[in-house]
Amino acid sequence: MRVQDDFTNCENNVPMDGQVAIVTGATAGIGFEVAKNFAKRGARVIIGSRNPVKMEKAKNAIIQSSGNTNISTRKLDFGSLKSIRRFASEIYMNEPKLNILINNIGALGLPDRQTKDKLNLMMQVNYFGAFLLTFLLFPLLRTSAPSRIVNVSSITLLLGHIDLDHMNDVGRFSSFGMYCNSKLADILFTVEMNKRIQGSGVNVYSMDPGLSKSEFFRDFNDTTLRNVFNAGMLLLGRDLDRVATMPVFLATDPRVQNSSGKHFRDCAEFYSSWFAEDAELTRRLWEKSKQLVNISTEEDWELK
């Protein structure tokens, strides 16, 4: 008998036979557990990550634990818009449908620098990458509807600030501050996308996983801080397989069918930020994001 916890209400037995799901950053942590959960339900699962060795190891572990061999891997680096476009192109070439997209990739403690795409590395990995991937894959999600998108955010969004003219500045924000800004952007993007895709059959949600037993601070350069913070996460965090029930819940459960655009924590709608109610800000962030990731006329389904 399972002990009652914050995720008990998330549990369901919804089958996923015949469905196709992409989980980014699924080589470890929450993403790995989500992919494993989907596989056990019968879904075809595509793991997107930048490390081929880790992806193969995760794939084999998922097959072994689930008995589902319909698991594939594709290289995906959110630090490169070119990589994201290549990944999306491969999906269109090889997958006739896509039912679920879990934007799980995230990192803290990355170097304060701009990428080749002229975006701040922290913002690109934690926000712009998910924005571009979701925008590119939306037409496939729409033709595969009913479909769902889940954006993994963080409680730190409450400390975030969006300055559209300085989102990608180097030296302006601390590493933690930029992380907070990126997680706020994930929420605003979710709210605005929901407005723009009404009636498409695609639902989009955001969620805060809370503390989990993971080495989330692995990218910190300071070895002492990295070890202390990771030890704290492993000590105080919640079990990864339990935390993973929430994105699975949002991706599958009929109880949230009418909650598209909402933010969740521990299986229930949760306050995100008053910024999410600022329709002008969410609109401007959406348009600015399209501009910064260079959405082409051919890619822009809003023009069609």
Side-chain angles (χ1 to χ4, degrees):
M1 183 175 181
R2 184 177 290 284
V3 176
Q4 178 81 19
D5 65 16
D6 292 332
F7 302 108
T8 301
N9 289 332
C10 282
E11 294 179 343
N12 67 43
N13 58 0
V14 177
M16 297 178 66
D17 301 276
Q19 294 195 40
V20 179
I22 292 175
V23 186
T24 69
T27 57
I30 297 171
F32 173 73
E33 294 296 334
V34 170
K36 189 162 63 172
N37 192 311
F38 285 164
K40 289 179 178 178
R41 293 167 185 256
R44 167 166 169 71
V45 182
I46 302 166
I47 298 171
S49 188
R50 63 179 180 173
N51 189 313
V53 174
K54 289 183 178 180
M55 280 197 291
E56 193 63 22
K57 182 179 178 181
K59 173 184 174 180
N60 292 335
I62 291 169
I63 291 174
Q64 183 175 5
S65 68
S66 68
N68 182 348
T69 59
N70 199 5
I71 315 297
S72 68
T73 62
R74 293 200 176 279
K75 188 172 182 181
L76 174 64
D77 181 1
F78 268 18
S80 165
L81 299 186
K82 182 178 180 180
S83 172
I84 296 168
R85 284 186 161 91
R86 183 185 301 117
F87 176 90
S89 178
E90 290 174 353
I91 294 298
Y92 276 101
M93 286 189 293
N94 293 280
E95 305 296 333
K97 66 177 181 177
L98 175 62
N99 306 102
I100 295 166
L101 171 61
I102 308 291
N103 285 312
N104 171 71
I105 286 178
L108 180 61
L110 298 174
D112 185 22
R113 64 172 178 82
Q114 285 197 341
T115 66
K116 292 181 179 180
D117 303 301
K118 300 187 177 1
L119 303 174
N120 184 282
L121 178 61
M122 186 80 83
M123 283 295 292
Q124 183 162 333
V125 169
N126 287 292
Y127 168 62
F128 287 113
F131 176 88
L132 176 59
L133 181 63
T134 305
F135 196 96
L136 294 176
L137 292 179
F138 173 72
L140 184 57
L141 286 159
R142 181 175 54 196
T143 59
S144 308
S147 305
R148 297 187 182 185
I149 302 160
V150 180
N151 296 320
V152 178
S153 184
S154 163
I155 193 68
T156 61
L157 71 92
L158 296 174
L159 302 175
H161 174 71
I162 299 296
D163 184 334
L164 295 172
D165 295 323
H166 299 285
M167 284 193 298
N168 293 295
D169 287 5
V170 172
R172 188 178 188 88
F173 299 99
S174 67
S175 176
F176 181 70
M178 188 63 86
Y179 179 76
C180 296
N181 295 348
S182 67
K183 290 306 173 182
L184 173 58
D186 286 329
I187 299 295
L188 305 186
F189 149 51
T190 301
V191 170
E192 184 64 22
M193 182 168 196
N194 179 60
K195 297 175 186 176
R196 293 170 182 253
I197 64 173
Q198 291 287 329
S200 66
V202 181
N203 280 11
V204 57
Y205 312 89
S206 60
M207 56 158 279
D208 167 22
L211 293 179
S212 59
K213 294 183 184 298
S214 65
E215 296 186 345
F216 186 68
F217 297 89
R218 60 190 175 276
D219 294 305
F220 268 45
N221 287 326
D222 188 309
T223 304
T224 301
L225 280 179
R226 182 174 66 244
N227 292 339
V228 168
F229 287 156
N230 280 335
M233 292 284 281
L234 294 173
L235 177 65
L236 301 174
R238 299 178 289 189
D239 291 341
L240 289 169
D241 65 324
R242 299 302 294 149
V243 178
T245 60
M246 185 159 57
V248 173
F249 166 72
L250 293 174
T252 63
D253 206 290
R255 287 173 288 176
V256 294
Q257 178 60 41
N258 297 320
S259 299
S260 184
K262 302 297 185 181
H263 183 60
F264 285 78
R265 179 183 172 93
D266 298 349
C267 311
E269 289 184 27
F270 188 72
Y271 174 77
S272 52
S273 166
W274 69 268
F275 287 113
E277 305 299 323
D278 187 339
E280 180 63 13
L281 178 60
T282 61
R283 182 193 67 77
R284 292 178 61 213
L285 175 62
W286 178 274
E287 296 298 342
K288 184 73 170 180
S289 299
K290 286 176 65 174
Q291 174 191 337
L292 290 173
V293 300
N294 299 312
I295 296 295
S296 67
T297 301
E298 185 180 66
E299 295 169 337
D300 197 345
W301 42 264
E302 292 192 286
L303 299 177
K304 299 172 183 176

